[in-house]
Amino acid sequence: MVGDDSHSHDDSSIDRRNFVRGCGAVAAMAAAGLSVDSVAATAADLDALLEDLPDNWGRWGEDDELGALNLLGSEEAYAGMEAAMQRGPNGIERFTLQMPMTGEAIDVLVEEGAEGPTTDTGDPMFPGRTPARRDNVADARTAEPYPGGMQFSDDRFVTEFFLQGTTHMDSLGHGWYGDEVYNGYDESVTAAPKEFEHAIPGCTDGDDGDGKEAKGHSEGGVKETHGHSAVDISPLADAGVAGRGVLLDVGRECGDDRGWLELGAEVTLEDLKATAEAQGVDLRQRDIVLFRTGSLERVTDPDAEWNPLNEPGLVFSDDLIRWIHDMEIPMIGADTVAVEKVTQTVGDHTFVLPLHGALLRDLGVSLNEILWLEELATQCADDGVYDFLLTSAPLHVERATGGPVNPVVLKATKPKKKRS
């Protein structure tokens, strides 16, 4: 049942301005009061927690890197199109679910002595990841007309650009436990070096952020990088996603009068099923499941408290993993930074992101995070149609751990008058 996680760490004393110390999730966890030692101590417990649950290793071949997206074929795309067309040719609405990549970077605006949850708004970034900044390299200030009079503007990113800093899909190799990632690949595939023949200037200028020269970076530019030699985001980008999506508006069903779940609320399998029943929508095999908590609306509300390490989210249970496996769910998405609760207590142990292990690593189920669902959810509540065609594909960035994505939804709604 949806509710506060009374057993997990209390993050209420951590404010958004003070999350970032350096750059990375481990630093953010430490800032929230969860020590690196405590995470490492549960590694064997996570293996024990998941060892008797199903996995999809070898199901699509020993070299597979696509995972449960293999389940999306012609019939699944057709089911999505049927859902989109159920109100006729004049009753289809289009939604995009991406958040901007260039927010206000509140995380790095540190105020000395700040305490308590923040009400600052702007970006939904996971602590340690900042939004990107872009700037023009050509525009009306400098452009010279080409023959015939045409002029052009152009731009580029001038800061670090985190591929998982906004609406994105995780690669299947993004999260793992033990020494193997999805489908039995050795964890070393996540750290494969690649040297390029030609160096390209980098935004770090050879500095890794601690005053030390980053490997492969020099005054001449970036000539070597590390990345995934397998189970990166590129197979998912090549395949794309098309199928019947279902929105489960848990926030509207179980939350407050704004349709928000409380900070720290746990979303269970029972909550998902109860929400589907209340909405009158059938969950079918191979559906793409999106669920809404109201978290991103909280991020953009200047009067609301916000805490990315204590967002509501899906929580682990054996039944949930078996249900996802039996239902052959290819992808799960949510309006939160992690889909699941960041810290969860299962039995006597506290885990960090255990569902990333169960879903990405074991089942090969794709995760789509930081989805903007407000307009889609509003229309679903208005017309009672919660299923639709969902299509998407992450940016193809070779060797990357994830990729920005702009999912497109085609949804049936009340027919509109024909154009005259």
Side-chain angles (χ1 to χ4, degrees):
M1 196 67 184
V2 168
D4 290 328
D5 179 6
S6 59
H7 302 293
S8 63
H9 182 81
D10 179 8
D11 298 318
S12 61
S13 63
I14 305 298
D15 89 285
R16 184 173 184 173
R17 293 182 186 273
N18 288 318
F19 273 126
V20 175
R21 296 292 183 271
C23 182
V26 173
M29 299 301 179
L34 185 64
S35 72
V36 175
D37 288 341
S38 69
V39 175
T42 65
D45 298 309
L46 181 58
D47 186 67
L49 183 70
L50 302 178
E51 66 178 350
D52 293 327
L53 293 174
D55 68 64
N56 282 323
W57 290 17
R59 180 174 178 178
W60 298 287
E62 62 180 13
D63 298 325
D64 178 61
E65 301 179 54
L66 191 59
L69 291 188
N70 281 291
L71 298 166
L72 294 178
S74 179
E75 292 183 9
E76 291 70 36
Y78 186 80
M81 289 188 283
E82 281 189 314
M85 297 187 295
Q86 61 186 293
R87 296 289 180 90
N90 297 308
I92 298 178
E93 195 70 44
R94 184 173 65 249
F95 299 88
T96 58
L97 309 183
Q98 185 178 37
M99 290 290 288
M101 293 189 244
T102 50
E104 283 303 315
I106 292 168
D107 286 337
V108 297
L109 301 177
V110 178
E111 285 186 351
E112 293 298 329
E115 295 181 356
T118 184
T119 57
D120 290 331
T121 60
D123 68 89
M125 306 302 170
F126 196 93
R129 298 170 182 158
T130 52
R133 291 281 182 267
R134 48 141 307 280
D135 199 8
N136 283 1
V137 295
D139 53 31
R141 297 169 300 171
T142 58
E144 293 291 334
Y146 284 86
M150 285 298 302
Q151 301 182 69
F152 299 93
S153 58
D154 198 0
D155 53 10
R156 65 171 181 171
F157 283 108
V158 292
T159 63
E160 292 181 317
F161 175 30
F162 290 90
L163 295 175
Q164 298 192 44
T166 184
T167 308
H168 68 276
M169 285 178 64
D170 291 340
S171 74
L172 296 185
H174 167 58
W176 73 97
Y177 60 94
D179 56 7
E180 293 175 305
V181 297
Y182 169 72
N183 212 25
Y185 287 96
D186 188 86
E187 64 178 351
S188 61
V189 302
T190 69
K194 181 175 182 178
E195 186 167 349
F196 298 86
E197 183 177 354
H198 302 289
I200 295 177
C203 62
T204 59
D205 294 326
D207 187 343
D208 68 1
D210 295 322
K212 302 175 183 178
E213 184 174 294
K215 184 172 177 59
H217 299 195
S218 66
E219 292 183 3
V222 179
K223 196 171 183 179
E224 182 182 67
T225 64
H226 285 76
H228 282 239
S229 60
V231 284
D232 67 322
I233 199 64
S234 60
L236 281 61
D238 288 341
V241 176
R244 179 180 184 255
V246 174
L247 176 67
L248 301 179
D249 196 345
V250 183
R252 189 172 261 101
E253 179 63 23
C254 304
D256 60 20
D257 57 4
R258 298 167 295 185
W260 299 1
L261 298 181
E262 294 181 357
L263 288 172
E266 298 180 334
V267 179
T268 67
L269 173 60
E270 290 71 25
D271 294 320
L272 299 182
K273 290 181 175 179
T275 299
E277 183 176 0
Q279 294 175 174
V281 62
D282 292 328
L283 289 170
R284 305 174 187 170
Q285 277 196 309
R286 303 191 180 186
D287 278 346
I288 299 163
V289 176
L290 310 182
F291 70 94
R292 176 187 166 276
T293 69
S295 285
L296 287 192
E297 287 97 314
R298 178 183 283 113
V299 170
T300 57
D301 186 334
D303 298 319
E305 294 180 351
W306 185 81
N307 190 332
L309 294 185
N310 197 31
E311 281 189 320
L314 205 58
V315 290
F316 173 88
S317 72
D318 287 2
D319 288 344
L320 173 68
I321 304 307
R322 296 185 193 282
W323 179 80
I324 291 171
H325 179 258
D326 293 343
M327 290 289 288
E328 298 189 319
I329 303 298
M331 185 170 77
I332 300 173
D335 59 346
T336 65
V337 296
V339 173
E340 62 178 308
K341 280 210 65 183
V342 173
T343 58
Q344 302 176 35
T345 299
V346 184
D348 297 329
H349 301 285
T350 297
F351 296 89
V352 174
L353 301 174
L355 289 177
H356 275 58
L359 299 180
L360 289 176
R361 189 242 194 209
D362 293 348
L363 292 180
V365 172
S366 287
L367 297 179
N368 199 167
E369 297 164 339
I370 318 181
L371 294 172
W372 181 254
L373 299 173
E374 183 176 16
E375 285 80 20
L376 174 63
T378 298
Q379 189 186 89
C380 290
D382 180 60
D383 59 27
V385 178
Y386 288 87
D387 60 337
F388 39 78
L389 172 65
L390 185 144
T391 65
S392 69
L395 292 182
H396 186 130
V397 184
E398 64 172 8
R399 296 159 48 84
T401 69
V405 62
N406 186 13
V408 177
V409 164
L410 295 179
K411 190 186 94 61
T413 188
K414 300 172 183 177
K416 298 177 176 63
K417 292 182 180 180
K418 293 182 179 180
R419 296 178 181 175
S420 58

